Amino acid sequence: MKNMLKKLKGKSTRSSETVGISLRQEGIAFAQVSWQEGRPRLVGCEFLPVQTGDSCAVLTHQISRLRLARHRCVGILTGDDYTLLQIEPPAVPPEEWREAVRWQVRELIDYPLDEAVVDVFSVPTDARQGRQAIAYAVAAPRRVVRETATCLTAARLKITAIDIPELAVRNLVGLLPGAERGLAFLYLGRQEGGIVMVRDGSLYLSRRINVGTDSLRDLATASSGEGLIDLSSRFNDLLDSVILEIQRSLDFYESNFALPPIANLVVAPMEADLPQVLPYLQQYLGVKVSALDLGTLFDLPDLTPQVQARCLTAIGGALRVRQVTP
């Protein structure tokens, strides 16, 4: 997506801070991060509800109100906006991967290749000595990337990148204790979620989960009324499917990388209040399970779990830029 963004970049930024923005259907996730002595500081974090079609106007007002014009910005796509595919890197120099991969993904997307923006990122190869390297290809409709970039530019933000949630989450996981030894991270949105395996700042594995907090909340609520046994069983079945995907990810990591097994799973904040989830995961997974509180990580005690969940990828996106150039 870099070539497309070159046309949208204008004057140099004037600030050392970075803004992360995720334009979601129900609102805008906003985060503002600065770096001091090698540590990030979350300056601001909000979720701004919007009506359909109002996103750009609301964002422009927010940026103007906070006087953030010409700040660095990383836009984060949502899960419906793109396709993420695990691939074998093509047998060409890395600088030619993006063009070569376009032909690999043409049969895997439901829109013309000419209308796709394609990018590639690799998994560290030092952990796969003697084995086929792994990479991930990202394909998104050019229209979606352009609309996101146009909205950010209209708000007078300086676009650094248009990123995907998996890489934004990677930036966040890299700050957690034990990240240098490897962590599994589970995040559940309202409709779906994902698992990433991150070690020493690198993404090793990403897997999507077709379970979200809306379905878990509905079953958890219903299980407190009539039909307790059946509905509880359905709730547990849904969590069992999450556990299965986590275990498959742990097994893949252990069998495909010459690295110590991952021993810790961190669960991201969720929009819904689901206290049953962590104990259930801990009961059936052979790793230590803990909950992430971004308020503690960034010393912002007033950051509610709902805002943390909604702004998770915006915060991660804002963490992408570590270098400070006043």
Side-chain angles (χ1 to χ4, degrees), residues 4 10 50 76 82-83 85 95 108 124 127 135 177 195 213 216-217 242 253 269 273:
M4 185 173 181
V50 298
I76 312 299
Y82 65 96
T83 303
L85 305 163
E95 60 270 20
L108 304 173
I195 303 164
T213 56
L216 287 170
R217 180 201 57 208
V242 174
Y253 181 91
D273 184 20

Side-chain angles (χ1 to χ4, degrees), residues 163-281:
D163 221 334
I164 60 174
E166 287 83 353
L167 294 180
V169 169
R170 173 207 58 185
N171 301 337
L172 189 57
V173 176
L175 299 177
L176 304 180
E180 70 281 2
R181 299 186 299 275
L183 291 173
F185 188 78
L186 170 68
Y187 57 102
L188 295 175
R190 292 183 58 183
Q191 307 298 330
E192 63 177 12
I195 303 164
V196 295
M197 303 287 186
V198 177
R199 185 176 189 275
D200 203 19
S202 296
L203 180 70
Y204 281 79
L205 182 145
S206 172
R207 188 187 296 266
R208 287 188 176 180
I209 300 176
N210 294 320
V211 175
T213 56
D214 281 2
S215 53
L216 287 170
R217 180 201 57 208
D218 291 345
L219 290 175
T221 301
S223 68
S224 61
E226 295 182 358
L228 175 62
I229 295 177
D230 289 342
L231 290 169
S232 293
S233 175
R234 290 170 58 193
F235 181 82
N236 291 349
D237 287 346
L238 214 51
L239 276 184
D240 287 343
S241 68
V242 174
I243 288 173
L244 181 60
E245 294 299 331
I246 295 171
Q247 192 58 58
R248 284 174 174 168
S249 301
L250 292 169
D251 292 344
F252 181 90
Y253 181 91
E254 185 172 353
S255 61
N256 283 272
F257 299 108
L259 297 168
I262 285 181
N264 291 278
L265 170 71
V266 180
V267 181
M270 292 179 277
E271 290 191 43
D273 184 20
L274 293 166
Q276 312 95 321
V277 172
L278 255 70
Y280 197 85
L281 297 180

Side-chain angles (χ1 to χ4, degrees), residues 298-310:
F298 292 108
D299 195 22
L300 285 174
D302 296 332
L303 210 56
T304 67
Q306 289 75 24
V307 172
Q308 293 183 38
R310 289 173 170 175

